[in-house]
Amino acid sequence: MTAAQLIRWLWRDYLQPWRWWFGLAMVLMSIEGATVGALSLLVKPMFDRVFVGGSPQAVLWVAAMVGGVFLLRALTGLSHKIIMARLGERIVAAMQGDVLRHLLTLDQSFYTRHPPGSLIERTRGDSGAIRNLASQVVAALGRDLSSLISVLAVVLWIDPVWTLVAVAGVPLLLLPIMALQRLVRKTSRKARAAAADNATRLDEIYHGVTTIQINGIETREADRYRQAQNRYIRQQMRAEAGSAAIPALIDIVAAIGLAGVLTYGGYQIVGGEKTVGEFMTFFIAMAAVFDPLRRLGAISGAWQSTRASLDRVVQLLQTPARITSPAQPAPVPADRGRMDLAFEDVSFGYGDGVAVLRDLSFTAEPGRTTAIVGPSGAGKTTLFKLLTRMADPDTGRITVAGTDLRDLDLGDLRGLYSVVAQDTALFDETIRDNILLGRTDVTEAQLAAAVEAAHLDGVVASLPRGLDTPAGPRGSALSGGQRQRVAIARALLRDAPILLLDEATSALDAASERMVQDALDRLSRGRTTLVIAHRLATVRSADMILVMQAGRIVERGRHDDLVAQDGVYAQLCRLQFAE
Ligand SMILES: Nc1ncnc2c1ncn2[C@@H]1O[C@H](COP(=O)(O)OP(=O)(O)OP(=O)(O)O)[C@@H](O)[C@H]1O
Ligand SMILES: [Mg+2]
């Protein structure tokens, strides 16, 4: 995005609702800026009428004017800072909300490429850069531009030739400043990327703290983090040095210009062509020209680094959602008894060139239970991801009750499923909230029934605050089996026509598993059910068993038939039931 596009986008999407406040702040900034010109202007009567002229009345009004100008400066400065701070925070919040909402529409492939830590840094850190824009760039721009204009007017009024001498070197700065800006933008971009890497490392370290401690790799992790920090510091330092070099350059040019005026103007005063007051006003005003000029120079650095951040935000916002609802969604299949699921020549890979599912075709009969078994990595969970449209097939199609999944509204489609996933995410809320997930249409009795059926009632009873006990960050206050039962209770309450169970009882002890399995069997009655299981005992009674190997279905049939075939399934059975 070019700078102009970026600014237009900021204006249209974020600044416009605030345009009146923004305008007011700009006016206040210009007033504050203009006070610099006014002050330097007051130096002339101070010298010529008071110090040299010796007029006692002039002392009073000059003093009063100086006091008044300072008061005005204090008041305008305070108010525009408050307005801009508020505006900055509001805009940051709005942008973060937009980023979050957009990221929530993106699919698996995006989240495999962008780890949570880096996304947190990008949502928070990079959109937070707007704060800089509001408090430093815009504020300095409004104030310093106006002080620059006001003092330039004063110095030109005093003596245009002096002014020319003083600023003669400024155009020379153009090229070096442009080069520095490019450097700052490039290094800022790298620094932002490095900051995101840092955040990723921290996220992985804090989430994996148990693994780190058990394996004794604390030092290694701390070292790796330090290296990531060093990479960030290196880039950030280059960006900061580049930013600081711009005002430094302006200082050098200012020094040369002022020395020139001092020599030239000094002779004129000695010769009696100019008054001391004129010279002092000029000198002070000129110093005041370079001050805002220096700050404006610093702005260009700040803008470049803000831009690097905003570019990254825009990039996120422009990542297209690949899995979306169609413009005109097909009606949701209504007949709960006829929810057959069909895969037709489906092939799929995670975008890395490796085919995970190859030409898969099968139908899960409505109201029946279809089991999927096969070695780890065969593609079983992937199959569920395609069913819930966490990803779309590369070729072929999947239908529910004859309708292509892609023709349905995403929300409607996902509403057709109750899912117990292989690794359910729990949130840092109470167990009750984790089961309900925001639903308000569930009675206490229904909740209790689901908790009981999921065999969670014993667990809940033993907890100090029962259902209102917090589950801990990511559910870490619960055991693996307890977490799984929370997921099962969720699914039981959902009452959706299709049931997807991925190793739903794998973390339970034998006794709990039998009881939960009973509840799930009851739930699956009349529902189209797909079950993934490693423990073959749980799928024995399935209406159809699909045996998967390396992304293909290699055998299919009922348990007895498959055993009779004496193939892969029969061998798996022998292994498991031999014990
Ligand atoms: N997000 C992903 N990105 C890239 N590859 C993936 C991703 N998820 C899974 N895979 C790959 O796809 C293949 C199938 O994975 P899948 O999770 O479907 O296996 P599975 O049959 O469910 O195995 P398990 O029984 O261990 O759960 C694996 O080889 C895995 O490496
Ligand atoms: Mg799996």
Side-chain angles (χ1 to χ4, degrees):
M1 250 200 197
T2 65
Q5 284 171 320
L6 205 61
I7 290 172
R8 214 172 307 133
W9 161 71
L10 274 178
W11 174 260
R12 200 193 48 222
D13 285 13
Y14 298 104
L15 220 49
Q16 207 165 16
W18 297 93
R19 60 187 179 281
W20 295 114
W21 282 108
F22 186 66
L24 177 63
M26 289 304 261
V27 170
L28 292 169
M29 284 176 206
S30 329
I31 297 176
E32 193 203 346
T35 56
V36 180
L39 280 175
S40 60
L41 206 56
L42 284 171
V43 171
K44 185 171 145 61
M46 196 146 67
F47 275 84
D48 291 348
R49 312 260 316 258
V50 181
F51 300 154
V52 181
S55 150
Q57 297 101 316
V59 179
L60 290 181
W61 74 257
V62 170
M65 294 276 281
V66 170
V69 170
F70 269 107
L71 189 67
L72 185 66
R73 187 179 148 104
L75 289 180
T76 48
L78 177 68
S79 1
H80 78 67
K81 273 182 201 123
I82 292 176
I83 295 175
M84 287 307 286
R86 190 168 120 92
L87 221 137
E89 293 302 335
R90 289 288 172 176
I91 291 176
V92 169
M95 192 177 283
Q96 287 177 347
D98 286 352
V99 170
L100 174 64
R101 266 188 298 278
H102 181 68
L103 291 193
L104 285 178
T105 67
L106 301 182
D107 60 300
Q108 295 272 314
S109 62
F110 176 83
Y111 286 97
T112 352
R113 274 179 293 128
H114 300 276
S118 95
L119 290 177
I120 292 173
E121 177 65 27
R122 285 175 82 159
T123 342
R124 292 184 54 85
D126 285 324
S127 18
I130 284 286
R131 235 176 251 127
N132 274 347
L133 195 67
S135 67
Q136 289 179 6
V137 180
V138 175
L141 208 64
R143 188 187 55 213
D144 291 322
L145 217 51
S146 121
S147 37
L148 190 66
I149 292 167
S150 68
V151 288
L152 269 179
V154 173
V155 291
L156 280 171
W157 171 67
I158 300 279
D159 194 324
V161 182
W162 287 2
T163 311
L164 258 178
V165 173
V167 301
V170 171
L172 293 180
L173 291 175
L174 220 58
L175 282 178
I177 286 185
M178 270 159 58
L180 281 170
Q181 283 188 332
R182 251 199 313 280
L183 174 84
V184 172
R185 183 139 55 104
K186 212 174 72 196
T187 48
S188 296
R189 209 177 285 148
K190 287 188 188 157
R192 293 314 305 161
D197 284 348
N198 283 0
T200 303
R201 286 247 51 79
L202 278 186
D203 179 65
E204 299 218 312
I205 289 172
Y206 290 137
H207 277 128
V209 69
T210 316
T211 311
I212 291 172
Q213 289 171 342
I214 285 178
N215 289 292
I217 52 171
E218 293 92 340
T219 323
R220 169 176 174 269
E221 288 302 317
D223 279 349
R224 288 215 304 168
Y225 181 59
R226 207 192 49 229
Q227 282 161 14
Q229 278 179 310
N230 286 342
R231 275 194 295 277
Y232 166 75
I233 291 172
R234 224 171 8 250
Q235 297 302 336
Q236 184 65 13
M237 278 314 299
R238 291 175 62 188
E240 303 258 350
S243 288
I246 298 174
L249 275 179
I250 294 175
D251 270 347
I252 293 172
V253 170
I256 298 171
L258 283 181
V261 175
L262 212 54
T263 331
Y264 179 60
Y267 283 121
Q268 284 187 320
I269 294 171
V270 173
E273 290 165 52
K274 291 272 180 190
T275 67
V276 179
E278 275 169 334
F279 183 79
M280 285 312 292
T281 288
F282 182 87
F283 198 78
I284 287 172
M286 210 58 226
V289 167
F290 285 109
D291 207 33
L293 203 62
R294 215 177 65 211
R295 273 204 300 270
L296 287 170
I299 282 176
S300 76
W303 161 243
Q304 292 305 337
S305 72
T306 306
R307 206 181 139 183
S309 286
L310 289 182
D311 276 340
R312 289 161 59 81
V313 173
V314 171
Q315 219 176 34
L316 283 186
L317 288 174
Q318 284 180 342
T319 312
R322 295 195 312 175
I323 294 186
T324 50
S325 300
Q328 250 119 37
V332 208
D335 190 345
R336 291 172 70 101
R338 305 188 50 168
M339 293 284 176
D340 57 312
L341 290 166
F343 276 61
E344 299 170 15
D345 294 319
V346 170
S347 294
F348 174 78
Y350 283 97
D352 47 9
V354 184
V356 175
L357 300 181
R358 307 156 201 244
D359 292 326
L360 217 63
S361 295
F362 71 88
T363 304
E365 300 291 339
R368 300 290 175 84
T369 295
T370 304
I372 301 156
V373 301
S376 186
K380 306 182 295 295
T381 300
T382 304
L383 207 134
F384 276 14
K385 284 186 190 159
L386 295 187
L387 278 174
T388 47
R389 284 199 77 198
M390 295 297 140
D392 278 339
D394 297 333
T395 58
R397 61 180 210 141
I398 307 170
T399 59
V400 56
T403 312
D404 193 318
L405 300 187
R406 284 169 291 203
D407 292 337
L408 290 170
D409 176 79
L410 260 187
D412 288 346
L413 170 70
R414 290 177 183 159
L416 292 176
Y417 301 108
S418 282
V419 184
V420 180
Q422 201 166 13
D423 44 357
T424 307
L426 295 199
F427 302 105
D428 193 4
E429 296 171 350
T430 62
I431 295 180
R432 176 196 305 276
D433 291 338
N434 265 299
I435 296 176
L436 292 178
L437 288 184
R439 282 179 60 175
T440 50
D441 57 336
V442 180
T443 65
E444 203 59 24
Q446 285 171 317
L447 179 62
V451 166
E452 196 191 327
H455 210 48
L456 200 61
D457 48 345
V459 179
V460 167
S462 71
L463 291 171
R465 286 155 64 191
L467 274 176
D468 294 310
T469 310
R474 293 184 158 195
S476 55
L478 300 181
S479 77
Q482 291 166 348
R483 274 200 293 274
Q484 201 164 39
R485 277 175 275 182
V486 170
I488 291 169
R490 256 185 211 170
L492 291 174
L493 271 185
R494 238 171 108 90
D495 187 35
I498 304 172
L499 193 57
L500 303 181
L501 305 172
D502 191 350
E503 296 283 338
T505 55
S506 58
L508 303 189
D509 62 275
S512 315
E513 178 172 22
R514 178 134 354 108
M515 283 188 245
V516 173
Q517 193 62 52
D518 265 357
L520 289 176
D521 285 348
R522 243 177 295 136
L523 184 69
S524 69
R525 230 163 273 156
R527 290 184 166 83
T528 308
T529 305
L530 267 82
V531 187
I532 296 175
H534 280 302
R535 267 208 288 276
L536 300 183
T538 51
V539 302
R540 240 176 161 156
S541 59
D543 301 291
M544 163 73 86
I545 298 172
L546 306 171
V547 185
M548 276 187 79
Q549 225 172 21
R552 288 181 209 280
I553 296 176
V554 290
E555 284 173 19
R556 61 182 84 196
R558 297 184 68 98
H559 174 80
D560 296 335
D561 304 332
L562 288 176
V563 171
Q565 269 183 33
D566 200 20
V568 181
Y569 183 81
Q571 199 177 349
L572 282 175
C573 279
R574 274 199 295 280
L575 278 172
Q576 283 197 12
F577 296 128
E579 302 144 12

